[in-house]
Amino acid sequence: MTKIWNETGFVTDDPWVVETEETKAGSNEKAILGLGDFLAKVAETDETGLGVLVNPADDVQRLEGHLDRIALVAVAFPAFSDGRAFSHASLLRARLGFTGEVRAVGDVLIDQIPLMLRCGIDSFSVTNATALKRLAENRLPGIDNHYQPTARPSGDAGSYSWRRRA
């Protein structure tokens, strides 16, 4: 079972559905389109509030110029060992200035969630049983002090995330 989680807890009634050949968004749902389908749709209409799925091999910079029409960008983690979505999320926030929701979909594991948050990912589509249990218990792993810059500034004044600037 897939559940959506963000820092305030589990989300109920999430309208977003990743569209595939087999799965289409219903009347009360919003579609998350693949990058190619999204670009075709924005070329045909001036609809806003759209969702787009960025797969690992996609060029996230192709979204530049369309960010004002996007409500949600889903970055795909097809396997725990494929970290290209970390870069996609970071580019969306730092270079492209995207302020909407960024969601991790796919193989989302509990150990990666704190790092995903630092890269600018807001919400998570979680299916892993261990991750669901730990999130329900509000138990995130992590390190208190960071030396690397991040898409999300540290709220802790004692943290070192401010030392380097991009």
Side-chain angles (χ1 to χ4, degrees):
M1 176 178 191
T2 301
K3 290 188 176 183
I4 305 300
W5 182 86
N6 62 29
E7 287 186 282
T8 61
F10 287 102
V11 176
T12 57
D13 300 327
D14 182 71
W16 296 101
V17 174
V18 176
E19 283 203 344
T20 63
E21 293 293 325
E22 301 83 29
T23 307
K24 300 293 180 192
S27 60
N28 293 334
E29 298 173 324
K30 295 181 180 182
I32 301 173
L33 304 171
L35 183 60
D37 292 337
F38 169 79
L39 292 171
K41 185 166 189 160
V42 296
E44 296 169 359
T45 72
D46 37 340
E47 190 176 339
T48 61
L50 300 170
V52 61
L53 173 67
V54 177
N55 285 304
D58 291 340
D59 181 4
V60 74
Q61 294 187 54
R62 293 179 65 193
L63 295 175
E64 192 170 20
H66 306 293
L67 295 174
D68 58 334
R69 300 176 64 184
I70 300 173
L72 179 135
V73 176
V75 292
F77 289 86
F80 78 93
S81 60
D82 191 339
R84 291 176 283 181
F86 285 103
S87 298
H88 291 322
S90 185
L91 286 170
L92 279 165
R93 297 293 190 204
R95 284 203 191 146
L96 301 177
F98 182 65
T99 58
E101 182 177 349
V102 177
R103 176 174 294 173
V105 298
D107 197 11
V108 176
L109 302 178
I110 191 69
D111 293 341
Q112 296 172 323
I113 290 176
L115 301 172
M116 291 176 182
L117 286 166
R118 287 181 49 80
C119 289
I121 297 173
D122 302 303
S123 64
F124 307 86
S125 178
V126 183
T127 57
N128 180 278
T130 302
L132 288 169
K133 181 178 186 271
R134 297 266 307 272
L135 290 170
E137 297 168 351
N138 200 24
R139 290 181 28 209
L140 281 178
I143 299 170
D144 293 333
N145 292 320
H146 303 281
Y147 288 96
Q148 301 84 9
T150 179
R152 294 177 49 170
S154 174
D156 179 15
S159 177
Y160 294 104
S161 65
W162 52 267
R163 282 198 176 181
R164 288 191 341 194
R165 302 215 188 262

